[in-house]
Amino acid sequence: MFIVDSYSLAVIFCVVTMLCWGSWGNTQKLAGKTWRYELFYWDYVIGILAFSLLLGFTLGSTGDAGRGFAEDLKQISMENYASAFAGGVIFNLSNILLSASVSMAGLTVAFPLGVGIALVLGVFVNYFGEPKGDAVILFSGVALVVLAIIFNAIAAGKMNQKGNSINKKGIIIAIIAGVLMSFFYRFVAAAMDLNNFESPTPTMATPYSAFFIFAIGIFISNFIINTIVMKKPFVGTPVSYKEYFQGKFSTHMVGVLGGAIWGLGTALSYIAAGKAGAAISYALGQGAPMIAALWGIFIWKEFKGSSRAVNILLACMFVLFISGLGAIIISGAN
């Protein structure tokens, strides 16, 4: 299988992760013009699962390092299967909530709040599960990200001073999603031998097989979680599976593309974790709110007509995010 053999390449992979995690939401925005997010989410999940299989039988099955994808799936212990699967279930619940928040509060608000909270809590969870990197510099970077989240929340509040209940509800859901999302990565990382991807410990998973099991957890849990959300939506009337199958092929493909984009970022994050460590790899990827906010501001015009004070707050948010991510990168360079 393909593995990362240098910290610099691991950082590059994590930056691509950040771009992917911060950009997949655009496919939801595109599909959302004619398509409810509950229906979009089915295509998104299918995209993740399909991409995990494609990756497993390509990069996961080439080269001399580690174990091949199919071979690895046969020897993983039930405990590690359960851990990666549980990560998928936790992620799915958190991400459905995040998708609901995006549909209510907008990309620029939901991502920095939800994913930002997930970054902060997730770094603690992953660092203490697998310590790697300079803790002082790492958590200093996380502190800067916390400040960025606060600035974004203040800016969103100023834009929504005449806000309605849907927007406020979206913000609350984003916070809940962020707390849940902080735990999923650790469950998947626990199933892998992060210290030795070249010759993984027997019964443990490679990044490719762990990602595939994780994707199965997302897909199977979606039959329960998303079905409930379809019948009891956060906003609007219930939607049915009949409506899903009546959707246009192009609309379905937008959702599948969104899942593939997110899946690429997630797979690269797991592959990079061997060199960068789970905490640093996760933290860099979760710089996604900055990317999502850029899309929301400059492409979707979600802060159009904002005051000078709001613009200053947004500028400060970006500076703090960039500074925090820089510190996180430096923390693992030694």
Side-chain angles (χ1 to χ4, degrees), residues 100-101 103-105 160 163-173 234-236:
S101 178
S103 70
M104 290 184 279
N160 195 43
N164 53 50
S165 59
I166 291 180
N167 206 340
K168 292 176 182 177
K169 185 178 180 181
I171 290 173
I172 293 171
I173 291 174
F234 291 98
V235 178

Side-chain angles (χ1 to χ4, degrees), residues 118-151:
L119 185 157
V120 174
L121 296 179
V123 169
F124 279 93
V125 171
N126 284 288
Y127 184 82
F128 291 112
E130 182 72 29
K132 206 165 191 176
D134 187 301
V136 174
I137 299 176
L138 174 62
F139 289 110
S140 295
V142 171
L144 291 173
V145 173
V146 172
L147 288 175
I149 295 168
I150 293 172
F151 274 73

Side-chain angles (χ1 to χ4, degrees), residues 106-117 148-149 152-153 289-290 292-293 317 321:
L107 197 64
T108 314
V109 174
F111 260 63
L113 281 177
V115 183
I117 290 170
I149 295 168
N152 181 80
M290 183 179 68
M317 180 196 75
F321 254 121

Side-chain angles (χ1 to χ4, degrees), residues 267-320:
L268 292 181
S269 181
Y270 291 143
I271 294 168
K275 280 292 178 183
I280 293 172
S281 185
Y282 175 84
L284 286 178
Q286 291 289 37
M290 183 179 68
I291 305 302
L294 284 170
W295 284 109
I297 291 169
F298 295 109
I299 303 301
W300 300 108
K301 310 296 183 183
E302 291 180 346
F303 277 80
K304 185 178 181 180
S306 58
S307 65
R308 183 171 180 272
V310 170
N311 290 333
I312 291 173
L313 287 167
L314 290 173
C316 290
M317 180 196 75
F318 286 125
V319 171
L320 288 166

Side-chain angles (χ1 to χ4, degrees), residues 165-250:
S165 59
I166 291 180
N167 206 340
K168 292 176 182 177
K169 185 178 180 181
I171 290 173
I172 293 171
I173 291 174
I175 293 171
I176 296 171
V179 173
L180 287 171
M181 192 172 287
S182 66
F183 292 98
F184 88 86
Y185 197 93
R186 183 63 215 150
F187 278 87
V188 184
M192 300 186 291
D193 185 356
L194 293 175
N195 295 315
N196 192 2
F197 280 177
E198 292 186 4
S199 182
T201 301
T203 75
M204 300 196 78
T206 68
Y208 301 95
S209 54
F211 177 50
F212 173 64
I213 298 166
F214 167 76
I216 292 176
I218 296 174
F219 181 73
I220 292 178
S221 65
N222 208 48
F223 283 95
I224 299 173
I225 299 171
N226 202 20
T227 298
I228 293 172
V229 175
M230 288 169 67
K231 292 181 179 295
K232 302 287 184 180
F234 291 98
V235 178
T237 58
V239 290
S240 67
Y241 283 103
K242 181 180 179 180
E243 293 176 71
Y244 173 79
F245 290 108
Q246 289 175 340
K248 295 180 179 178
F249 177 78
S250 58

Side-chain angles (χ1 to χ4, degrees), residues 20 43-44 46-48 51 211 255-266:
C20 291
D43 296 322
Y44 171 79
I46 291 169
I48 294 174
F51 185 82
F211 177 50
V256 172
L257 175 63
I261 291 171
W262 187 89
L264 172 62
T266 305

